[in-house]
Every structure is written in C-alpha cells, then in structure tokens.
C-alpha cells in the first residue's frame, strides 16, 4: 500500500507544468441567458449595461442615421434569477424610449460633429448619463443626461446638457478609427469616462466629472497606466476599484490596437503561426493618488473570445456581459458569470 502511494506521488510530481496549469479553474461559472426574441435581435447593437434597482438596463446604440429606435431595454432581475435556477423560465422586460435624442443629434451634425451612436450608460440616482460616439474625423465625443420616468417608460433627455469630450489624438493629430469614450460609470456622485484606446506612447488619461448634477466647464483629466487593446465598458465596484472589459479584435480596421511582435502583450494575441487572434479579459482598475492603475482579473474562455463584448455590469459577486451584433451566435448574447 505504501509502495503504491509513493509511486502515485512520484507520478504526480512528474506531471508536465502545462497539464497542472490547465487544471486551474476559472473563478466564475458562465451561463448564457435565454433572451426574448425582440431583445435577441442583433440589430439592437447593444453597447452598454447597468443595474438599476431591480432591473438590468441594456443600452442600444440607437443609430438614428440607420432609422434605429432610441431605446433602453430593462430586464427584470428577479426573472433572470429564476431563469438561472430553472432554464425553462422566461426573462421579463420593459422598454424605455429615449426622448429628444434626435434634437441633440441635429445639434452635433450642424456643428460638423457627426453622431454615430450611444456607447456608454451609467446612472446617478434617477438620472441616466450616456456617451455619444461621433465619426472618426470629429474632434469631440459627448456626454448627455436624462431623467428616468419609470411610470411613462421613458428617459427624457435634457437638451441643454451637452458636454464635449475632446478625443485623445496621435502625435500627428489624427484620431483613432471608430474610437470614443465607450466606458462610463458613476461613483461617489462623480462620473468616470474611459476612452476606448489607452496605448498612446504619450499621455493616456480618463475624464472625471466631479459633480455630475451640473454642467461642468472642463472635465478633469486623470492619468491612466498605459493599457493595451480596447476598453469597452466599466463598472464601479466600491473603494475606488473598477472592473472593465479589455478586448482585442483581430480585424484589419483595428490594426492600431495590434501590439508589435516584440511587445510583451503580443503573446496574448498572437497564435503559434504569428497571426493575430481575438482576445478578451476583465481587468481591475484602481483610482488612487490621482491616477488609475490596472491589473488582469481573468481571461474569458476561448469559446467566448470571438464575441465583441460591449457591456458589463456587476451583480451578486459576478458579472453580466453583452455583445453588440458581432459574434458566432449571430444575435445579442447575454452572459452571467457567477462566482463559484
């Protein structure tokens, strides 16, 4: 008996490191939620998530130029809990119409700051804040806000509240293609906004608005530790800690996000033949001493890497993730990553 035990122990010690590391478990189990057909429609192009009371808010890009409806869906969190416990249960929802977005779009377009869509959502109390992405040549993105009227199922925008957000630029003053302030979150009655690209060789910074209830003169710049790939959403976790989606898409149009082969981050996005491949992880950010630092939290499994994850919300120690219209499912896909 003792002899057999010693042999087993020796064999265990001789296991390849790759095998033992492969046995490490993801700290979260992943569940794909079954969405109503209206919400699963890929044309919603969801771009942000936020938990509001007993609801999970899903922000549509609301691409008015494509005659899309300006809207936010609200999924009932209790119905989500029921489906997580019993997959036969349906998720219930309502829809909030975003009012006056057409008026704000007209103002931007008349100033040659061409509206593309809504990208970020966060709430402070019953006030919803959205970031607007503009076309690449436009100098500014924008922050807008509106009051949530649950009884009327509407978010009524304040057409006087329009905060220009200067786009960070490359050293030749050109802009990053299709990049905006995609990640927005409220914390301590303030707002923190992160630009999609934070890998400039010069300054990288987020924008902070200390008092979101009044129109600020100039948002404050907060230095950000140089960060590869894209940031597509952000959630506040308390104690000056945030979690964000850090995503890399291997398409040619996103070549600016590609690290060079000698960059230490290249090992995350290059396959064995030297070709770029999609990659996604969640990262933890810390806002301390007037600057933002970060560290990896965990990588998504390979089967979820090819989705373009755009929305993130924290819930009961886990996270919701949603894609836009891109991904192998060909539809809106909502995940809940539950702590084991």
């Amino acid at each position: 008996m003792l002899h057999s035990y010693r042999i087993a122990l020796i064999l265990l010690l001789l296991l390849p490191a790759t095998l033992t590391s492969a046995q490490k478990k993801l700290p979260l189990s992943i569940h794909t939620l079954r969405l109503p057909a209206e919400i699963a429609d890929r044309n919603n192009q969801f771009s942000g998530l936020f938990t509001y009371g007993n609801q999970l808010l899903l922000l549509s890009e609301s691409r008015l130029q494509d005659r899309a409806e300006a809207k936010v869906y609200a999924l009932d969190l209790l119905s989500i809990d029921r489906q997580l416990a019993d997959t036969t249960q349906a998720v219930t929802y309502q829809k909030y119409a975003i009012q006056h977005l057409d008026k704000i779009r007209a103002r931007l377009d008349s100033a040659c700051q061409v509206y593309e869509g809504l990208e970020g959502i966060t709430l402070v109390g019953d006030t919803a804040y959205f970031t607007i992405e503009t076309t690449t040549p436009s100098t500014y993105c924008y922050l807008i806000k509106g009051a949530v009227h649950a009884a009327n199922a509407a978010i009524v925008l304040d057409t006087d509240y329009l905060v220009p957000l200067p786009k960070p630029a490359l050293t030749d003053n050109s802009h990053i293609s299709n990049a905006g302030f995609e990640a927005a979150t409220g914390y301590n009655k303030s707002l923190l906004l992160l630009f999609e690209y934070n890998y400039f060789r010069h300054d990288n910074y987020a924008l902070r608005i200390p008092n979101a209830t009044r129109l600020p003169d100039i948002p404050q710049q907060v230095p950000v530790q140089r960060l590869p790939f894209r940031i597509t959403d952000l959630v506040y976790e308390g104690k000056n800690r945030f979690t964000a989606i850090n995503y890399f898409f291997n398409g040619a149009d996103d070549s600016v996000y590609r690290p060079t082969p000698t960059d230490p981050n290249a090992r995350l996005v290059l396959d064995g033949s030297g070709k770029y491949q999609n990659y996604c992880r969640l990262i933890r950010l810390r806002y301390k001493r007037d600057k933002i630092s970060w560290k990896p939290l965990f990588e998504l499994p390979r089967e979820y890497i090819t989705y373009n994850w755009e929305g993130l919300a924290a819930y009961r120690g886990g996270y919701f993730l949603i894609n836009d219209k891109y991904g192998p499912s060909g539809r809106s896909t909502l995940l809940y990553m539950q702590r084991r």
Side-chain angles (χ1 to χ4, degrees):
M1 184 76 174
L2 182 60
H3 178 69
S4 299
Y5 172 78
R6 286 175 176 170
I7 292 174
L9 181 61
I10 291 170
L11 290 173
L12 179 63
L13 292 173
L14 291 176
L15 279 174
T18 53
L19 179 57
T20 56
S21 64
Q23 294 174 343
K24 293 180 180 178
K25 293 182 179 180
L26 186 74
L28 305 170
S29 58
I30 300 180
H31 307 270
T32 301
L33 289 157
R34 182 169 50 84
L35 296 173
E38 179 181 347
I39 296 177
D41 185 343
R42 69 197 302 269
N43 293 315
N44 287 311
Q45 294 195 58
F46 291 118
S47 57
L49 292 177
F50 190 83
T51 53
Y52 170 62
N54 64 353
Q55 296 178 323
L56 175 65
L57 302 182
L58 282 62
L59 173 65
S60 166
E61 282 192 16
S62 304
R63 295 177 64 85
L64 302 183
Q65 66 276 27
D66 297 334
R67 298 185 179 180
E69 182 181 12
K71 63 192 175 186
V72 171
Y73 284 109
L75 306 187
D76 180 71
L77 283 169
L78 292 178
S79 72
I80 289 178
D81 289 339
R82 287 193 292 268
Q83 189 180 112
L84 289 171
D86 177 0
T87 57
T88 65
Q89 298 295 309
V91 171
T92 58
Y93 68 98
Q94 70 176 119
K95 180 171 63 176
Y96 290 95
I98 303 176
Q99 297 181 3
H100 306 318
L101 184 58
D102 56 338
K103 296 178 181 178
I104 291 175
R105 179 201 174 194
R107 286 182 60 184
L108 302 190
D109 290 355
S110 66
C112 298
Q113 304 295 303
V114 182
Y115 174 94
E116 275 207 327
L118 301 178
E119 289 292 347
I121 180 173
T122 191
L123 276 82
V124 178
D126 293 324
T127 301
Y129 293 84
F130 305 97
T131 58
I132 293 178
E133 187 171 294
T134 54
T135 54
T136 300
S138 302
T139 306
Y140 299 99
C141 294
Y142 290 87
L143 177 71
I144 59 176
K145 73 175 183 178
V148 179
H149 295 277
N152 300 327
I155 299 174
V156 182
L157 297 179
D158 179 352
T159 55
D160 292 326
Y161 188 95
L162 186 61
V163 181
L165 308 173
K167 292 181 183 179
L170 296 165
T171 53
D172 62 1
N173 290 323
S174 64
H175 293 142
I176 305 298
S177 176
N178 195 38
F181 286 88
E182 291 221 358
T185 190
Y187 75 103
N188 302 335
K189 297 183 180 180
S190 299
L191 296 180
L192 187 68
L193 313 173
L194 257 69
F195 195 61
E196 193 168 0
Y197 181 87
N198 296 276
Y199 212 47
F200 294 103
R201 294 193 178 278
H202 50 285
D203 296 337
N204 294 277
Y205 56 84
L207 296 179
R208 176 176 178 260
I209 298 177
N211 188 339
T213 60
R214 66 172 186 266
L215 193 67
D217 293 327
I218 302 175
Q220 298 176 358
Q221 294 184 0
V222 181
V224 174
Q225 178 187 348
R226 196 165 182 243
L227 174 58
F229 319 135
R230 299 166 57 204
I231 294 294
T232 58
D233 206 0
L234 178 75
V235 63
Y236 182 50
E237 299 259 44
K239 298 181 179 179
N240 293 329
R241 295 177 301 115
F242 304 81
T243 302
I245 302 171
N246 190 206
Y247 183 75
F248 174 78
F249 177 64
N250 67 358
D253 290 342
D254 282 9
S255 60
V256 69
Y257 295 94
R258 294 177 178 177
T260 62
T262 57
D263 188 312
N265 294 291
R267 64 180 179 82
L268 300 172
V269 296
L270 288 175
D271 63 17
S273 63
K275 293 181 179 179
Y276 289 96
Q277 57 187 352
N278 290 11
Y279 176 77
C280 187
R281 63 184 173 184
L282 295 189
I283 61 173
R284 172 62 46 78
L285 295 92
R286 183 78 179 270
Y287 186 175
K288 188 176 181 181
R289 297 190 180 96
D290 297 322
K291 63 182 179 181
I292 295 173
S293 58
W294 65 273
K295 63 181 181 180
L297 199 55
F298 62 83
E299 299 176 339
L300 266 66
R302 293 303 310 170
E303 62 264 35
Y304 300 107
I305 291 297
T306 54
Y307 291 83
N308 190 34
W309 300 112
E310 290 270 335
L312 175 72
Y315 182 62
R316 294 187 174 179
Y319 300 96
F320 289 109
L321 271 178
I322 199 164
N323 68 322
D324 56 10
K325 67 180 182 179
Y326 298 104
S329 66
R331 55 191 287 159
S332 302
T333 299
L334 179 65
L335 302 182
Y336 179 58
M337 300 186 293
Q338 185 176 26
R339 192 172 296 279
R340 294 183 188 274

